[in-house]
Amino acid sequence: MTKSGRRPLMAGNWKMNLNWREAHLLVQQLAARLNEQQLTDVEVVVLPPFVDLRSVQAAVEEGKLKIGYGSQDISQHAKGAYTGEIAGSMLTALGCTYAVMGHSERRQYHSESDEIVNAKVQAALASGLTPIMCVGEGLDIREAGNHVEYTVAQLDGGLKGLTAEQVEKVVVAYEPVWAIGTGKTATPEDAQEVIGALRKRLAELYPGGTADKVRILYGGSVKGSNAAGIMAKPDIDGALVGGAALDAEDFSKIVCFSEN
Ligand code: PGA
Protein backbone atom coordinates (compact mmCIF):
# COMPACT_ATOMS: atom_id res chain seq x y z
CA MET A 1 0.00 0.00 0.00
CA THR A 2 1.18 3.51 -0.74
CA LYS A 3 -0.29 6.99 -0.80
CA SER A 4 -2.74 7.08 2.09
CA GLY A 5 -3.45 3.37 1.85
CA ARG A 6 -4.58 3.46 -1.79
CA ARG A 7 -3.38 0.28 -3.49
CA PRO A 8 -1.91 1.00 -6.93
CA LEU A 9 -4.06 -0.20 -9.83
CA MET A 10 -2.75 -1.00 -13.29
CA ALA A 11 -5.58 -1.60 -15.74
CA GLY A 12 -4.99 -2.77 -19.30
CA ASN A 13 -7.54 -1.43 -21.77
CA TRP A 14 -7.21 -3.78 -24.73
CA LYS A 15 -9.70 -1.78 -26.82
CA MET A 16 -10.86 -3.66 -29.95
CA ASN A 17 -7.89 -6.02 -30.10
CA LEU A 18 -7.39 -9.79 -29.69
CA ASN A 19 -9.85 -12.62 -30.23
CA TRP A 20 -10.79 -15.01 -27.42
CA ARG A 21 -7.87 -17.36 -28.07
CA GLU A 22 -5.34 -14.52 -28.11
CA ALA A 23 -6.92 -13.07 -24.99
CA HIS A 24 -6.51 -16.37 -23.12
CA LEU A 25 -2.86 -16.50 -24.12
CA LEU A 26 -2.09 -12.90 -23.16
CA VAL A 27 -3.49 -13.38 -19.66
CA GLN A 28 -1.31 -16.47 -19.22
CA GLN A 29 1.76 -14.67 -20.55
CA LEU A 30 1.15 -11.75 -18.22
CA ALA A 31 0.66 -13.96 -15.18
CA ALA A 32 3.87 -15.85 -15.98
CA ARG A 33 5.83 -12.62 -15.69
CA LEU A 34 4.45 -11.54 -12.32
CA ASN A 35 5.03 -13.14 -8.95
CA GLU A 36 2.76 -13.38 -5.94
CA GLN A 37 4.35 -10.36 -4.23
CA GLN A 38 4.08 -8.12 -7.30
CA LEU A 39 0.42 -9.07 -7.70
CA THR A 40 -0.17 -8.26 -4.04
CA ASP A 41 1.57 -4.90 -4.11
CA VAL A 42 -0.23 -3.77 -7.24
CA GLU A 43 -3.73 -4.65 -8.37
CA VAL A 44 -3.67 -5.86 -11.98
CA VAL A 45 -6.79 -5.75 -14.13
CA VAL A 46 -7.38 -6.45 -17.82
CA LEU A 47 -10.24 -4.99 -19.82
CA PRO A 48 -10.78 -7.15 -22.90
CA PRO A 49 -13.51 -6.91 -25.54
CA PHE A 50 -16.82 -8.39 -24.33
CA VAL A 51 -16.49 -11.55 -26.42
CA ASP A 52 -13.13 -12.36 -24.78
CA LEU A 53 -14.40 -12.19 -21.20
CA ARG A 54 -15.35 -15.86 -21.01
CA SER A 55 -11.89 -17.01 -22.06
CA VAL A 56 -10.20 -14.52 -19.75
CA GLN A 57 -12.37 -15.89 -16.95
CA ALA A 58 -11.25 -19.42 -17.89
CA ALA A 59 -7.56 -18.44 -17.88
CA VAL A 60 -7.89 -16.75 -14.49
CA GLU A 61 -9.82 -19.67 -12.96
CA GLU A 62 -7.62 -22.41 -14.44
CA GLY A 63 -4.44 -20.75 -13.21
CA LYS A 64 -5.96 -19.35 -9.99
CA LEU A 65 -4.45 -16.05 -11.12
CA LYS A 66 -4.59 -12.92 -9.03
CA ILE A 67 -5.60 -10.87 -12.03
CA GLY A 68 -8.91 -9.07 -12.18
CA TYR A 69 -10.89 -8.29 -15.29
CA GLY A 70 -13.71 -6.13 -16.47
CA SER A 71 -15.42 -4.58 -19.47
CA GLN A 72 -14.67 -1.52 -21.57
CA ASP A 73 -18.26 -0.33 -21.44
CA ILE A 74 -21.57 -1.18 -19.76
CA SER A 75 -25.20 -0.50 -20.57
CA GLN A 76 -26.92 2.09 -18.43
CA HIS A 77 -29.97 -0.21 -18.47
CA ALA A 78 -30.51 -3.33 -16.37
CA LYS A 79 -32.06 -5.43 -19.16
CA GLY A 80 -34.51 -5.40 -22.03
CA ALA A 81 -34.86 -4.22 -25.60
CA TYR A 82 -31.46 -2.54 -26.07
CA THR A 83 -29.96 -4.32 -29.07
CA GLY A 84 -26.21 -4.68 -28.86
CA GLU A 85 -25.92 -3.61 -25.23
CA ILE A 86 -24.45 -5.56 -22.31
CA ALA A 87 -25.90 -5.30 -18.81
CA GLY A 88 -23.90 -5.15 -15.58
CA SER A 89 -25.47 -8.36 -14.26
CA MET A 90 -24.17 -10.20 -17.35
CA LEU A 91 -20.68 -8.97 -16.55
CA THR A 92 -20.73 -9.98 -12.89
CA ALA A 93 -22.00 -13.42 -13.96
CA LEU A 94 -18.70 -13.76 -15.86
CA GLY A 95 -16.68 -12.78 -12.82
CA CYS A 96 -16.01 -9.21 -13.91
CA THR A 97 -15.25 -6.78 -11.11
CA TYR A 98 -14.68 -3.59 -13.15
CA ALA A 99 -16.45 -1.67 -15.92
CA VAL A 100 -15.10 1.33 -17.80
CA MET A 101 -17.31 4.21 -18.88
CA GLY A 102 -16.69 7.59 -20.47
CA HIS A 103 -13.55 6.58 -22.37
CA SER A 104 -12.73 9.39 -24.80
CA GLU A 105 -13.20 7.02 -27.76
CA ARG A 106 -16.76 6.32 -26.62
CA ARG A 107 -17.41 9.99 -25.88
CA GLN A 108 -16.15 10.83 -29.38
CA TYR A 109 -17.53 7.99 -31.55
CA HIS A 110 -20.63 7.04 -29.57
CA SER A 111 -21.72 10.44 -28.23
CA GLU A 112 -21.32 9.35 -24.63
CA SER A 113 -22.28 12.47 -22.66
CA ASP A 114 -21.65 13.16 -18.97
CA GLU A 115 -25.31 12.24 -18.35
CA ILE A 116 -24.83 8.83 -19.96
CA VAL A 117 -21.53 8.34 -18.14
CA ASN A 118 -23.31 9.15 -14.89
CA ALA A 119 -26.05 6.60 -15.67
CA LYS A 120 -23.39 3.99 -16.46
CA VAL A 121 -21.52 4.68 -13.21
CA GLN A 122 -24.79 4.12 -11.36
CA ALA A 123 -25.54 0.95 -13.36
CA ALA A 124 -22.08 -0.45 -12.56
CA LEU A 125 -22.46 0.29 -8.85
CA ALA A 126 -25.94 -1.24 -8.81
CA SER A 127 -24.46 -4.46 -10.23
CA GLY A 128 -21.58 -4.54 -7.76
CA LEU A 129 -18.95 -3.55 -10.34
CA THR A 130 -16.25 -0.98 -9.69
CA PRO A 131 -16.65 1.82 -12.22
CA ILE A 132 -13.54 3.18 -13.94
CA MET A 133 -14.82 6.56 -15.03
CA CYS A 134 -12.68 8.32 -17.62
CA VAL A 135 -12.29 12.06 -18.00
CA GLY A 136 -9.88 14.11 -20.08
CA GLU A 137 -9.53 17.09 -22.37
CA GLY A 138 -8.78 17.38 -26.08
CA LEU A 139 -5.83 19.29 -27.49
CA ASP A 140 -7.85 22.46 -28.20
CA ILE A 141 -8.93 22.69 -24.58
CA ARG A 142 -5.40 22.03 -23.32
CA GLU A 143 -3.99 24.70 -25.63
CA ALA A 144 -6.59 27.19 -24.44
CA GLY A 145 -5.51 26.44 -20.86
CA ASN A 146 -8.95 25.21 -19.79
CA HIS A 147 -8.01 21.58 -19.05
CA VAL A 148 -8.49 21.73 -15.30
CA GLU A 149 -11.96 23.25 -15.33
CA TYR A 150 -13.04 21.01 -18.23
CA THR A 151 -12.04 17.77 -16.51
CA VAL A 152 -13.43 18.92 -13.16
CA ALA A 153 -16.78 19.57 -14.90
CA GLN A 154 -16.68 16.03 -16.37
CA LEU A 155 -16.01 14.69 -12.88
CA ASP A 156 -18.96 16.63 -11.46
CA GLY A 157 -21.25 15.38 -14.25
CA GLY A 158 -20.17 11.77 -14.00
CA LEU A 159 -20.59 11.58 -10.23
CA LYS A 160 -23.86 13.53 -10.03
CA GLY A 161 -26.26 12.22 -7.43
CA LEU A 162 -23.84 9.71 -5.88
CA THR A 163 -23.35 9.43 -2.14
CA ALA A 164 -19.91 9.70 -0.58
CA GLU A 165 -20.04 5.98 0.12
CA GLN A 166 -20.65 5.26 -3.56
CA VAL A 167 -17.95 7.67 -4.72
CA GLU A 168 -15.38 5.85 -2.57
CA LYS A 169 -15.92 2.81 -4.78
CA VAL A 170 -15.31 4.68 -8.03
CA VAL A 171 -11.96 4.73 -9.81
CA VAL A 172 -11.37 7.88 -11.86
CA ALA A 173 -9.04 7.79 -14.87
CA TYR A 174 -7.62 11.03 -16.22
CA GLU A 175 -6.73 10.55 -19.87
CA PRO A 176 -5.82 13.65 -21.86
CA VAL A 177 -7.13 12.83 -25.34
CA TRP A 178 -4.04 14.28 -27.02
CA ALA A 179 -1.85 11.74 -25.21
CA ILE A 180 -3.86 8.62 -26.09
CA GLY A 181 -2.19 6.33 -28.60
CA THR A 182 -0.05 9.20 -29.84
CA GLY A 183 3.17 8.43 -28.02
CA LYS A 184 2.84 11.90 -26.43
CA THR A 185 2.67 11.25 -22.71
CA ALA A 186 1.63 14.09 -20.51
CA THR A 187 4.57 14.90 -18.26
CA PRO A 188 4.19 13.60 -14.71
CA GLU A 189 3.70 17.27 -13.73
CA ASP A 190 0.88 17.74 -16.29
CA ALA A 191 -0.84 14.60 -14.99
CA GLN A 192 -0.38 15.59 -11.35
CA GLU A 193 -1.77 19.08 -12.01
CA VAL A 194 -5.10 17.72 -13.22
CA ILE A 195 -5.28 14.69 -10.94
CA GLY A 196 -4.48 16.87 -7.92
CA ALA A 197 -7.30 19.21 -8.98
CA LEU A 198 -9.71 16.29 -9.36
CA ARG A 199 -8.87 15.09 -5.85
CA LYS A 200 -9.31 18.62 -4.49
CA ARG A 201 -12.72 18.78 -6.16
CA LEU A 202 -13.69 15.44 -4.58
CA ALA A 203 -12.72 16.87 -1.19
CA GLU A 204 -14.97 19.88 -1.82
CA LEU A 205 -17.92 17.77 -2.94
CA TYR A 206 -17.54 15.11 -0.25
CA PRO A 207 -15.99 16.43 2.93
CA GLY A 208 -14.92 13.73 5.37
CA GLY A 209 -12.07 11.77 3.84
CA THR A 210 -13.71 10.44 0.65
CA ALA A 211 -11.14 12.14 -1.60
CA ASP A 212 -8.29 10.29 0.11
CA LYS A 213 -9.92 6.95 -0.63
CA VAL A 214 -10.68 7.40 -4.33
CA ARG A 215 -8.07 6.00 -6.68
CA ILE A 216 -7.24 8.25 -9.61
CA LEU A 217 -5.33 6.80 -12.55
CA TYR A 218 -3.44 8.45 -15.37
CA GLY A 219 -3.82 7.17 -18.92
CA GLY A 220 -2.20 8.11 -22.22
CA SER A 221 0.89 6.43 -23.72
CA VAL A 222 1.97 4.85 -20.43
CA LYS A 223 4.85 2.40 -20.96
CA GLY A 224 7.31 0.46 -18.86
CA SER A 225 9.83 3.22 -19.39
CA ASN A 226 7.69 6.11 -18.09
CA ALA A 227 5.48 4.46 -15.45
CA ALA A 228 7.81 5.08 -12.50
CA GLY A 229 7.97 8.83 -13.12
CA ILE A 230 4.19 9.07 -13.32
CA MET A 231 3.69 6.92 -10.21
CA ALA A 232 6.10 9.12 -8.22
CA LYS A 233 3.47 11.87 -8.16
CA PRO A 234 1.51 12.09 -4.92
CA ASP A 235 -2.04 11.90 -6.30
CA ILE A 236 -1.53 9.32 -9.08
CA ASP A 237 -2.61 5.85 -7.99
CA GLY A 238 -2.09 3.83 -11.14
CA ALA A 239 -2.52 3.77 -14.88
CA LEU A 240 -5.08 2.96 -17.54
CA VAL A 241 -2.90 1.49 -20.25
CA GLY A 242 -3.86 0.99 -23.89
CA GLY A 243 -1.21 -0.04 -26.42
CA ALA A 244 1.39 -1.26 -23.90
CA ALA A 245 -1.20 -3.53 -22.25
CA LEU A 246 -1.19 -5.73 -25.37
CA ASP A 247 2.45 -6.63 -24.70
CA ALA A 248 2.91 -8.89 -21.68
CA GLU A 249 6.50 -7.81 -21.21
CA ASP A 250 5.85 -4.08 -21.26
CA PHE A 251 2.66 -4.28 -19.20
CA SER A 252 4.44 -6.34 -16.54
CA LYS A 253 7.16 -3.64 -16.43
CA ILE A 254 4.44 -1.07 -15.76
CA VAL A 255 3.08 -3.25 -12.95
CA CYS A 256 6.60 -3.49 -11.51
CA PHE A 257 7.19 0.28 -11.79
CA SER A 258 8.65 0.44 -8.29
CA GLU A 259 11.50 -1.91 -9.28
CA ASN A 260 12.66 0.27 -12.18
P1 PGA B 1 -2.69 4.35 -24.79
O1 PGA B 1 -4.26 4.31 -24.47
O2 PGA B 1 -1.97 3.80 -23.59
O3 PGA B 1 -2.52 3.47 -26.01
O4 PGA B 1 -2.34 5.78 -25.06
C1 PGA B 1 -4.76 4.62 -23.21
C2 PGA B 1 -6.27 4.51 -23.20
O5 PGA B 1 -6.91 4.96 -24.16
O6 PGA B 1 -6.86 3.98 -22.24
Side-chain angles (χ1 to χ4, degrees), residues 19 82 116 140 169 171 233:
N19 65 32
Y82 301 102
I116 294 174
D140 50 335
K169 294 182 186 138
V171 173
K233 292 295 171 191

Side-chain angles (χ1 to χ4, degrees), residues 9-15 30 43-49 68-70 72 100 132 217 239-246 251:
L9 169 62
M10 296 301 177
N13 173 13
W14 294 359
K15 308 194 180 185
L30 180 61
E43 183 176 359
V44 177
V45 166
V46 295
L47 304 159
Y69 53 94
Q72 299 169 16
V100 175
I132 300 179
L217 315 182
L240 183 56
V241 183
L246 297 170
F251 191 54

